[in-house]
Amino acid sequence: MADDADGNRGAGGDFAWALSAAPVQDYLERLHAELAGIDGGALADYIPELTRADRGWFGIALATVDGHVYQAGDSRQPFTVQSISKAIAYGLALEDHGLDAVLAKVGVEPSGEAFNSISLEPATGRPLNPMINAGAIATTALVRDDQEPALSRLLATFARYTGRHMGLDEAVFASERETGHRNRAIAHLLRGYGILERSPEEATDLYFQQCAIRVTARDLALMGACLANGGVNPVTGVVALKRRYVDKLLAVMSTCGMYDYSGGWIFNVGMPAKSGVGGGIMAVLPGQFGLGVFSPLLDSKGNSVRGIAACERISRDFGLHMFNVARATSATVLRRSYDCRRVRSRRGRSAAELAVLDAEGGRIR
Ligand code: GLN
């Protein structure tokens, strides 16, 4: 496939897909068939149970903000979400405690280091960001459990994103619990610094459970679509994440979501994303769609080889890099700003409604 002079790649041979009645579906199927031939990479084996995956599994799903879901290949094959859960847990921790309290425990700087590195600020012990293990363990430990167990809350949160009941792969959980000494060591360091307020064992158990939640590529696409859609699940209409935290979560996914490939990823693909060693990648094009790709063969940084290839191709074939904004459509977005305390509609309001507007109108812009 040839690049044109601007470096844009043509989207598939004879363009027959573009003329078909179902162009997105046809495109995904062709892309899937083409990339299924890639067989580089290796299964994650430091969690022994993950080696039971089939090297051939490969699914792609795309869910738009208007609720259409397109799928190709093994898009309904369950696998464990692993590090992609870090994004969901971060959103929940933000909802539970607000930005400042979470920032006090976990930073937002890319570490440039491997996902399991001990990337802590030397003076405070604060993990650099919530997308690496150290930051994720600290984040997960923040999930409230005063009303309901934290795991139930995590599962319920996932269910809001995916629109279906979620469960754990108990064998993968047990396997990581058995072998996860490095994560446990990180948790002890965090406890020593006072970043963790729970016991390290409790925190890592919850973290291992969250990593063992079973998802499909289709689920990842829907999760991404919620984030593309201001936090609202486009199929069910349920709020998966409060709108005010969506940009914050997408920001850390953009800078830190692909471990020590985050810079190269945002350069090449240009979409906030999160990957996991189960072989999943969840990518988001804000305002447009969520993309879920699953293939368990990983590169040396722990990212799915076919998953990266698929996302790179989709981004390139359609010119979807988020900074690739056509000038013609980019009229200034912010022209003047009012809130509803200062400017009211002309509709007649009851005294009670006016009181609410007086108190809360400053939040409407
Ligand atoms: N549970 C895995 C771990 O902590 C998640 C890592 C990953 O997906 N990168 O090692």
Side-chain angles (χ1 to χ4, degrees):
M1 203 174 301
D3 287 4
D4 69 16
D6 292 330
N8 296 315
R9 188 181 266 211
D14 54 12
F15 285 88
W17 61 271
L19 301 174
S20 90
V24 179
Q25 183 62 34
D26 287 359
Y27 169 81
L28 286 186
E29 283 171 16
R30 291 172 68 116
L31 184 69
H32 180 272
E34 195 182 318
L35 301 183
I38 299 176
D39 66 355
L43 299 174
D45 58 4
Y46 74 98
I47 301 172
E49 192 66 19
L50 293 182
T51 59
R52 295 164 69 96
D54 183 329
R55 299 170 59 89
W57 280 337
F58 180 27
I60 309 177
L62 187 148
T64 64
V65 292
D66 52 7
H68 287 86
V69 184
Y70 304 92
Q71 307 176 68
D74 303 309
S75 56
R76 291 179 187 267
Q77 169 62 47
F79 57 97
T80 53
V81 67
Q82 298 299 338
S83 276
I84 302 168
S85 66
K86 292 168 178 168
I88 308 306
Y90 187 61
L92 183 55
L94 289 174
E95 288 185 335
D96 278 0
H97 301 277
L99 273 180
D100 292 342
V102 174
L103 280 171
K105 300 280 190 191
V106 186
V108 290
E109 290 302 331
S111 70
E113 293 180 325
F115 66 83
N116 60 0
S117 62
I118 305 171
S119 302
L120 311 180
E121 287 173 0
T124 60
R126 192 174 71 137
L128 288 194
N129 71 70
M131 302 289 118
I132 50 166
N133 291 7
I137 294 167
T139 302
T140 298
L142 288 173
V143 171
R144 281 226 146 95
D145 64 353
D146 37 357
Q147 310 277 327
E148 208 189 321
L151 179 61
S152 320
R153 297 194 57 232
L154 280 161
L155 287 168
T157 303
F158 268 77
R160 292 202 299 273
Y161 280 91
T162 61
R164 70 181 186 95
H165 180 76
M166 304 302 288
L168 291 195
D169 184 324
E170 295 290 347
V172 172
F173 165 53
S175 180
E176 183 162 25
R177 190 184 207 201
E178 190 115 316
T179 53
H181 305 300
R182 188 181 172 95
N183 281 325
R184 233 173 260 122
I186 291 175
H188 277 274
L189 268 177
L190 293 172
R191 183 78 184 96
Y193 277 112
I195 296 286
L196 270 193
E197 286 166 22
R198 296 174 186 237
S199 83
E201 286 71 24
E202 212 188 321
T204 42
D205 272 1
L206 183 58
Y207 168 73
F208 296 151
Q209 284 172 315
Q210 144 197 324
C211 288
I213 293 175
R214 279 154 63 98
V215 292
T216 64
R218 184 177 200 279
D219 291 330
L220 295 183
L222 282 164
M223 288 155 65
C226 296
L227 296 174
N229 193 39
V232 178
N233 184 313
V235 175
T236 62
V238 163
V239 175
L241 175 63
K242 287 192 176 130
R243 186 179 197 107
R244 63 176 168 280
Y245 298 122
V246 172
D247 55 353
K248 300 302 178 203
L249 173 53
L250 290 174
V252 285
M253 286 168 58
S254 299
T255 51
C256 314
M258 302 295 284
Y259 324 124
D260 40 341
Y261 180 57
S262 297
W265 168 273
I266 211 70
F267 192 86
N268 292 322
V269 179
M271 296 181 209
K274 187 72 204 84
S275 76
V277 293
I281 297 180
M282 167 180 80
V284 180
L285 187 61
Q288 298 292 329
F289 61 74
L291 181 59
V293 190
F294 162 57
S295 168
L297 293 176
L298 308 180
D299 64 18
S300 59
K301 299 189 168 172
N303 293 314
S304 167
V305 175
R306 291 186 191 122
I308 288 189
C311 294
E312 279 182 3
R313 276 289 301 280
I314 291 169
S315 172
R316 227 180 136 183
D317 285 348
F318 296 98
L320 298 178
H321 194 294
M322 65 177 172
F323 298 139
N324 181 7
V325 178
R327 241 177 241 122
T329 61
S330 58
T332 312
V333 176
L334 194 62
R335 296 169 190 217
R336 194 160 297 173
S337 170
Y338 304 101
D339 70 39
C340 280
R341 254 198 290 238
R342 286 183 46 215
V343 179
R344 295 273 165 86
S345 72
R346 290 201 192 89
R347 186 186 295 183
R349 302 273 181 197
S350 66
E353 285 173 329
L354 288 173
V356 173
L357 276 175
D358 282 338
E360 304 288 346
R363 293 165 58 193
I364 305 171
R365 214 156 277 269

